[in-house]
Amino acid sequence: MPMRLILLVLDGLGIGEMPDVLEVRPQDIGANTLETLVENVEHLQLPNLLNLGLGHIVPLKRFDISAASPLASYGRSRLAHQGADSYLGHQEMMGTIPSAPAALLMRQVAEYLELQLKVHGYAVRRPLIESPLLLVNESVVVGDNLEADPGLNINLTVATDLIDFEQALKIGKVIRDCVGVSRVIVFGGPGISIEDILSRVEHRDNGQVGVNSPALGVYNQDLYVQHLGYGVDPDRQAPSLLIGMGLPVILLGKMADLVVCPGAIRDPIVPTGLLMQALLDSYSSIREGFIAATVQEFDLIAHEGDVLGLASVLEEVDRCLGDLLPKMTEADGLLICADHGNDPQINIGLHTREETPLLFYQRGRPAVPLGIRDTLADVGATITHLFHAPPTQDGVSFLGS
């Protein structure tokens, strides 16, 4: 029977610090995004996630699950990528453990990037005194990414009223060829001036100098974005392997921005309600295939430290799961996971290195503990296993569990 498989990624929903944080990220000691949410929102309602087995992965105060049997197999995943990054997390869950990138701040590479961009014919200047920030062709601001660890990513913030996005992407590719950071992210949209962008520049104590993109307000339906990654082969990831078998692949939300898959249908929608409706519509539109959706609003609101806003997003996801689950047949599957943590009680504005939840539901399949997976890549390996596709580069399917 044809299978429809849904992967739902709850961006930033960590469930407790990784075992290595004392050594690699001591600032994340004590992080637990889900626990922060549960402890600070008295009337949090997550009936469908709890029925699936969320409370069996990690004990949740105020939720008594002692008499309930989970509908889904349940476990937790560790991060094999460095840091706590959305792009790296998504590459990992698609079946690739990314190569170790270099950690480089703009203040270390600005002079070299300025030279190389000028060699390629671009006009480059420093718009702020004593700052490594670059302004290219009076339309693109190049700086550190403030939403990830220092040195991990470089952002190109684009005023698309002043330059075509494809032309901005060419600038990004020049920078990608010059530096070994994890990601070069090219993004922007209409209605944003260079003055707007520069007004949101922050100089942080950790050495980062960049644009506070959530404060700029670019994360909306008009957003253009392209992530240029390091050390990733999309052809060996689950979506491309499924496309190679002739199966439909639909990428929704942030998934559409982060995963490279020629031939996939894409909708980089941000608002959670619209995203979940697009997921339901996509499910109804195909008889067989793979749908992957990332709920980005959870991560964006966590960056602002709004715990009540986080609860609202997660409750909206839960309500939509209540619409989806009754429609699923025995041939369909649902995977739920996350890419990292984002505990606003630990450090507002930065991701936290946490283990993430793992749920797999298929009507009629017995629910079993999946244990602690060593890598998110097991998700990608399981996706290809379910479709009898060639294996991903990394990861081990948990279907044997």
Side-chain angles (χ1 to χ4, degrees), residues 1 45 88 93 100 107 149 155-156 159 198 201 240 260 285 300-301 338:
M1 184 180 293
Q45 299 294 318
L88 296 178
M93 72 178 67
R107 59 182 173 80
D149 289 353
N155 277 7
L156 280 71
L198 294 178
V201 170
S240 293
V260 175
S285 72
L300 295 177
I301 292 173

Side-chain angles (χ1 to χ4, degrees), residues 1-6 247 286-290 329-334 360-362 365 383 386-387:
M1 184 180 293
M3 179 181 206
R4 291 173 292 187
L5 179 64
I6 296 169
L247 292 167
I286 60 174
R287 293 184 61 253
E288 182 179 23
F290 177 54
T329 71
E330 291 186 356
D332 300 329
L334 171 65
F360 176 58
Y361 169 73
Q362 193 171 26
R365 182 185 287 269
I383 292 167
L386 284 163
F387 284 103

Side-chain angles (χ1 to χ4, degrees), residues 166-190:
E166 291 301 317
Q167 294 302 313
L169 191 57
K170 291 180 180 179
I171 298 171
K173 290 178 179 177
V174 172
I175 294 174
R176 172 72 284 174
D177 290 341
C178 293
V179 292
V181 296
S182 173
R183 276 185 290 165
V184 172
I185 308 170
V186 186
F187 71 99

Side-chain angles (χ1 to χ4, degrees), residues 37-48:
L37 195 57
V38 171
E39 290 185 349
N40 287 277
V41 182
E42 183 177 356
H43 301 294
L44 185 66
Q45 299 294 318
L46 303 173
N48 295 296

Side-chain angles (χ1 to χ4, degrees), residues 12 24 35 55 67 77 98 134 150 193 203 217 265-266 292 303 309 333 368 393:
V24 302
E35 185 176 86
S77 297
L134 302 179
S193 68
H203 293 70
I265 298 170
R266 298 174 179 272
H303 280 306
V368 298
Q393 175 177 314

